[in-house]
Amino acid sequence: MAAFYSKALNLKAFRAVQSHLRLFCDAPKFPGAKTTWTQTLKISEAKQEDNLPVYRVLDKQGVVIDSSHEPKLSSEVLRKMYKSMTLLNQMDNILYESQRQGRISFYMTNYGEEAVQIGSIAALNNDDLVFAQYREAGVLVYRGAPIDFFMNQCYGNNLDVGRGKQMPVHYGNKDLHFVTLSSPLTTQLPQASGAAYAFKRAKNGKVVITYFGDGAASEGDFHAALNFAATLECPVIFFCRNNGYAISTPTHEQYRGDGIASRAPGYGMGAIRCDGNDLLAVYNTVKLARKYCSENNKPILVEAMTYRVGHHSTSDDSTAYRPKEEISMWSTESPVGKFRRYLETKGLWSEEEEKSWAKDVRKQILDAFNKAEKVPKPAWKEMFEGVYKDLTPALKEQVKEMESHLKSYGAHYPLDNFK
Amino acid sequence: MARAITRKFYFLLSRPQFARHAVSARAIHFVYQPDTAKPPVSGETIKQNMFMAINSAIHSALEKDDSAIIFGEDVAFGGVFRCTLGLKDKFGADRVFNTPLCEQGIAGFGIGAAAAGATAIAEMQFADYMFPAFDQIVNEAAKYRYRSGGLFDCGKLTIRSPCSAVGHGAVYHSQSPEAYFAHTPGLKVVVPRGPIAAKGLLLSCIRDPDPCIFLEPKVLYRTAEEMVPKTEYFIPLGKAQVLTPGNQVTLVGWGTQVHVLLEVAKMAKEQLKVSCEVIDLQTILPWDKDTVCQSVKKTGRVIVAHEAPLTCGFGAELAATIQQECFLNLEAPVTRVTGFDTPFPHIFEPFYLPTKWRCLEAVKKIVNF
């Protein structure tokens, strides 16, 4: 009898083990995915309740919601952040106007995205490499680019480090580790992946951050960049400024998924979505993102939700495609104002200082502006430089040709404005 | 052990029974003419075909430069044309690696790595597939230094890609896209004619401070064999090479077409008693105007031949410049013998290419102009 029962028990145990083994060993063995079987047929669809929430530290009034999330920043740093945001605003005011007056050919403002730019760059090391799109001048402001730097580039004068080669706002600064911008969108993303890979191999401890907008994220280069960064394990932060518009195209015409952050799992990457109008949230987010990238040598996708208060550029009048009320609502919700209230509650800023700083910074900007306007453009021969490291025989001949032409027809060219 | 197996593999490939199969189903239109002149550098040589010579060049670059990396589709196991065979085992998976299947990614990644200080050698599996990367190559790589006022550059980038007719490649495995890239200031475009040239030119491209596109005529990978110097050597970019001196007609070509022209020169001598000077352009951009024009001023007659279609093929640039510089020396209009203005066809390849017969006929016409 005992023998019978022990046999039965053994059989049950055996069956249990067998069924566990089946579950374990019977998993699909396809090389393409690591997953389980199902006998249920259904369409897998994303639900809105699963949308990634927006991380914030400050509420609408600029009050810290959870003090454990308040970053421990020194008063110097906090004031530098605020001053950078306001300097950026003032510079935008003056340069936008100067385009309207025909003094520079083109400009793009940063209104509404001050916290996105300054909050993110403040969380990185000074030598982390930046690949930007075009609405990130605040990154350079925070890193210490003098006002002259911006003015000279916009005027394309002889002091422009870019040597007058590109339209205004196409900044580049080697000392500040900011790769020169280009107009084609999103091309910087796979480049950022490559640079990060090179840094990883060089073991120099640097990470790369690359900025792009909600529209730019539709380009093929976005897909290429994230897929490469994930498969090749590159320490790069993909930072999306989701500001609601790509010129006139609103986000609901740009994508159907849950913003940009939701694409990360598709690449096997992590993502964080934050309130781009909350400087402290952006700061904390990028601080964590940098730690993650640098410790794991893996990429990460950050999506900062914000709003483009200004027009796309001086060639755009956004009232043509969005209501004035929408613009003024977001203008009032200003990240600069929110951060200012936060500083004031900490006793780090005041109405008095606001007035004197505004006056001071406006003067600084106007001085730099007037100075830059008077600097001549680079010598016309520089047009031929930088195509290659050295001029080719063909280019040398073309220089001679133009030289000879100018000897006879120079009066018809604006030579007086050039060095 | 690996080397013994590899040698056996190459040995088998060279056996006549394989060659016979190759000729019957996949005819090629030329006879390879190995370099017999003094090699570019003295020292021990080794018999290599073009993919082996390219492999040597890449090996040398990776050995001498710790920052050097080579990547692209299927590069890790050796590459679909064996150009990267054995390199991953020798230099490690972080330096010789596969990328996802995405040419715009390969180009962008390469540009970024180069800009960040790494010597980046990017492989595009076929030149026919370079076009998704066109924006990165033309709008970014070519303009990186210029647009930044010299602050940034991607000179450490070399893009290499198999190109041109292979006998059966048809529309998407036979293209010669040099003209598209030659139209882009800021790039250098190079096409070797054989193993010795390939090794020296590729090493120059890798070392060159500007982004280079190295187009490798794929039919030459196995067909072309030469005694290649074992050591590292550099053939200067921007310099054409006169292969066969002559004084009646100048024949200009690059890549595979050089061998067609060498044969045409022989045939012209024997059948027409015409002395032809054959020039291998080697670098398409920047091209060696002086060597070509010097020859044309001597002969007064010039034929440019290339596989790529006629209209706006690189021959058009040569023709325009030659007639500009050598107008008074010309005895006949500049002639181009090229692929027709059609996409590259499959079954009609023998009719499409600028064959030795079409070139010979052009020689006959030009001397009788």
Side-chain angles (χ1 to χ4, degrees), chain B residues 23-45:
Chain B
V23 167
S24 63
R26 302 161 159 201
I28 57 173
H29 64 291
F30 67 98
V31 174
Y32 180 73
Q33 322 269 330
D35 269 8
T36 45
K38 204 176 87 167
V41 72
S42 61
E44 229 186 309
T45 58

Side-chain angles (χ1 to χ4, degrees), chain A residues 8 15 34 67 76 78 102 149 160 235 244 261 283 287 296 320-321 323 343 397-398 409:
Chain A
R15 289 259 153 81
K34 288 189 178 63
S67 60
E76 274 150 82
L78 289 168
F149 164 83
D160 171 24
Y283 179 85
K287 200 88 191 162
N296 302 299
Y321 50 82
L343 285 190
E397 272 189 37
Q398 291 174 25
Y409 291 86

Side-chain angles (χ1 to χ4, degrees), chain A residues 286-353:
Chain A
V286 176
K287 200 88 191 162
L288 176 63
R290 191 194 191 283
K291 185 168 189 284
Y292 177 90
C293 280
S294 152
E295 284 174 3
N296 302 299
N297 271 324
K298 276 157 86 150
I300 191 161
L301 178 57
V302 170
E303 183 180 21
M305 309 307 294
T306 180
Y307 186 86
R308 193 197 77 208
V309 170
H311 307 302
H312 165 72
S313 72
T314 46
S315 309
D316 177 48
D317 174 8
S318 60
T319 57
Y321 50 82
R322 58 182 183 176
K324 287 202 178 109
E325 296 75 37
E326 185 187 292
I327 306 173
S328 78
M329 179 197 97
W330 284 101
S331 203
T332 321
E333 287 244 357
S334 159
V336 182
K338 189 151 60 173
F339 192 65
R340 179 184 162 178
R341 285 191 290 282
Y342 168 73
L343 285 190
E344 283 173 347
T345 53
K346 290 179 86 74
L348 293 176
W349 197 254
S350 66
E351 178 61 37
E352 235 169 55
E353 251 205 293

Side-chain angles (χ1 to χ4, degrees), chain A residues 263-275:
Chain A
R263 301 178 194 177
Y267 296 104
M269 273 169 59
I272 316 175
R273 171 178 279 161
C274 65
D275 177 357

Side-chain angles (χ1 to χ4, degrees), chain B residues 181-231:
Chain B
F181 300 108
H183 189 55
T184 308
L187 294 177
K188 291 191 177 162
V189 181
V190 179
V191 187
R193 68 170 179 277
I196 295 174
K199 182 172 174 177
L201 288 169
L202 180 54
L203 283 170
S204 288
C205 284
I206 292 169
R207 191 171 72 160
D208 194 272
D210 298 303
C212 297
I213 299 186
F214 190 73
L215 297 170
E216 304 164 358
K218 64 181 84 63
V219 73
L220 300 176
Y221 279 144
R222 295 213 230 142
T223 339
E225 274 186 341
E226 278 168 347
M227 296 306 292
V228 183
K230 275 186 166 176
T231 184

Side-chain angles (χ1 to χ4, degrees), chain A residues 38 117 131 284 403:
Chain A
T38 177
Q117 296 174 26
F131 284 83
N284 284 353
E403 230 170 4

Side-chain angles (χ1 to χ4, degrees), chain A residues 131 165-166 174 178 180 182 187 190-191 194-195 197 201 220-221 224 227-228 231 383 385-389 397, chain B residues 66 94-95 97 100 102 104-106 108-109 112-113 135-136 140 144-148 151-152 186-187 210 289:
Chain A
F131 284 83
K165 298 299 200 329
Q166 291 205 87
K174 193 163 185 186
F178 187 100
T180 306
S182 67
T187 48
Q191 293 171 21
Y197 189 86
R201 279 212 71 243
D221 271 340
N227 201 21
F228 272 59
T231 54
M383 172 173 67
E385 283 168 30
V387 182
Y388 298 99
K389 179 159 179 284
E397 272 189 37
Chain B
D66 273 331
D94 62 322
R95 300 181 68 187
F97 54 94
C102 179
Q104 68 193 98
I106 293 168
F109 181 91
D135 186 35
Q136 284 285 354
E140 297 290 314
Y144 229 71
R145 186 192 295 277
Y146 188 77
R147 74 190 189 199
S148 68
L151 293 180
F152 298 94
L187 294 177
D210 298 303
K289 191 175 79 164

